[in-house]
Amino acid sequence: MGRYVARRLLQMIPVFIGSTLLIFAMMYALPGDPVRALAGEQNVDQAQIDAMRHELGLDKPLLMQYLIYLGNLFQGDFGTQIASQRPIAEVIAEAYPVTIQLTMFAFTFTVVAGITLGVIAGLKPESLRDRGLLILTLLLISVPSFVLGRLSQYLFSFELGILEANVSLEENWNELLLPASVLAALSLAYVARLTRTSIAENLRSDYIRTAVAKGLPRRRIVGVHLMRNSMIPVVTFLGTDLGTLMAGAVVTEGIFNIHGVGSLIFEALRRREGATVVGIVTLIVLVYLICSLLVDLLYAVLDPRIRYA
């Protein structure tokens, strides 16, 4: 197990470098100049702009800029935000807590509601409740998140008045309920369908027939034998979905006026501040890699036949 974890950690290094280099190159290729964008409509002397570009290292070749950025990153330095002249790590630290709060709220909702609906439908395949789940999940998958967000705001906030349309700076849990539900909608549909299919397939397996023939209580058959073997594909999806939810929060935060990394990325892209965007994406890449490792380690818990070399 220890050697497997060490090997996986080593494999993360080229993935991390490749993904950050790709994002860095994409930001470098965007048209415009972040220093001139900061000046706006003001008539700034070209010598001042060149001096600031030299001070920030923006006049160096792409590869040189990336190597300097990577070297600073390993020392915990994400660089300086051009607009505010504040450390990017400090700016991200202010924005990330609300995004993590929103993502974890959505993830919990996805796990609880998605697996529960999938189990209910999978235990009675081809029944009325199974067809109802199919219609619900198809609806959630086919409606874009920004449309679902606007519809939810109109129905629950403006018509029924039971939930807040926007999130205040205090970010109360009840205010995050609506955006978290919208953010979780697509993942919930996939988790419910995956759970339903896995439960329905394993229900016809020999080991379930054996457990029934042995006279085991239905609660033990479903809760221990059936659930344990049916959760492997669901756990795989949930492991990668945590990073997807964090990235998808960019759209949801814009709809519900949440001051998280979504608004930070939008402002950074508008000002073409590559260091801020790369810093946020770097953290999301790390979340993906760590979740992927945890999912692989969970396989052995769900299925003891799996061994790590």
Side-chain angles (χ1 to χ4, degrees), residues 168-198:
S168 64
L169 293 176
E170 285 75 20
E171 298 113 14
N172 297 320
W173 280 100
N174 58 338
E175 293 179 351
L176 290 175
L177 181 60
L178 191 56
S181 303
V182 172
L183 179 62
L186 182 62
S187 301
L188 186 148
Y190 284 126
V191 168
R193 294 304 302 169
L194 269 175
T195 307
R196 180 265 172 206
T197 303
S198 190

Side-chain angles (χ1 to χ4, degrees), residues 202-264:
N202 285 312
L203 206 56
R204 298 190 292 268
S205 300
D206 291 339
Y207 69 89
I208 293 295
R209 293 195 190 95
T210 304
V212 173
K214 287 166 65 178
L216 293 178
R218 180 174 172 80
R219 181 177 299 178
R220 181 172 176 78
I221 293 173
V222 174
V224 177
H225 299 281
L226 184 60
M227 287 292 290
R228 191 168 184 172
N229 288 284
S230 302
M231 285 299 103
I232 291 179
V234 180
V235 167
T236 304
F237 176 82
L238 288 173
T240 56
D241 190 55
L242 194 56
T244 306
L245 284 173
M246 193 169 285
V250 173
V251 177
T252 309
E253 287 180 4
I255 296 172
F256 293 94
N257 193 32
I258 301 173
H259 299 281
V261 296
S263 58
L264 195 60

Side-chain angles (χ1 to χ4, degrees), residues 55-161:
E55 184 183 346
L56 294 170
L58 297 177
D59 56 347
K60 293 183 172 60
L62 168 66
L63 190 57
M64 181 66 72
Q65 287 187 43
Y66 175 72
L67 290 176
I68 293 172
Y69 177 81
L70 201 61
N72 293 334
L73 195 63
F74 284 125
Q75 299 175 37
D77 182 7
F78 283 74
T80 303
Q81 190 182 43
I82 297 175
S84 63
Q85 291 297 303
R86 295 172 60 201
I88 292 175
E90 187 179 305
V91 177
I92 293 176
E94 287 179 1
Y96 242 92
V98 62
T99 299
I100 292 175
Q101 203 175 12
L102 175 66
T103 304
M104 294 312 297
F105 203 164
F107 185 74
T108 305
F109 185 60
T110 298
V111 172
V112 175
I115 292 178
T116 303
L117 290 173
V119 170
I120 291 173
L123 290 175
K124 289 284 185 184
E126 305 305 326
S127 63
L128 184 61
R129 65 192 188 193
D130 185 29
R131 294 191 177 91
L133 178 71
L134 176 63
I135 294 171
L136 174 66
T137 52
L138 287 177
L139 189 65
L140 293 176
I141 291 171
S142 58
V143 178
S145 60
F146 63 90
V147 175
L148 188 62
R150 293 298 183 196
L151 284 174
S152 302
Q153 275 182 326
Y154 174 77
L155 179 63
F156 295 106
S157 301
F158 303 133
E159 288 295 321
L160 300 177

Side-chain angles (χ1 to χ4, degrees), residues 248-291:
V250 173
V251 177
T252 309
E253 287 180 4
I255 296 172
F256 293 94
N257 193 32
I258 301 173
H259 299 281
V261 296
S263 58
L264 195 60
I265 287 179
F266 178 77
E267 288 299 322
L269 285 172
R270 192 174 61 82
R271 294 192 300 261
R272 199 181 172 273
E273 287 189 10
T276 305
V277 177
V278 176
I280 295 171
V281 173
T282 297
L283 292 177
I284 294 176
V285 168
L286 285 174
V287 170
Y288 265 112
L289 293 175
I290 293 170
C291 288

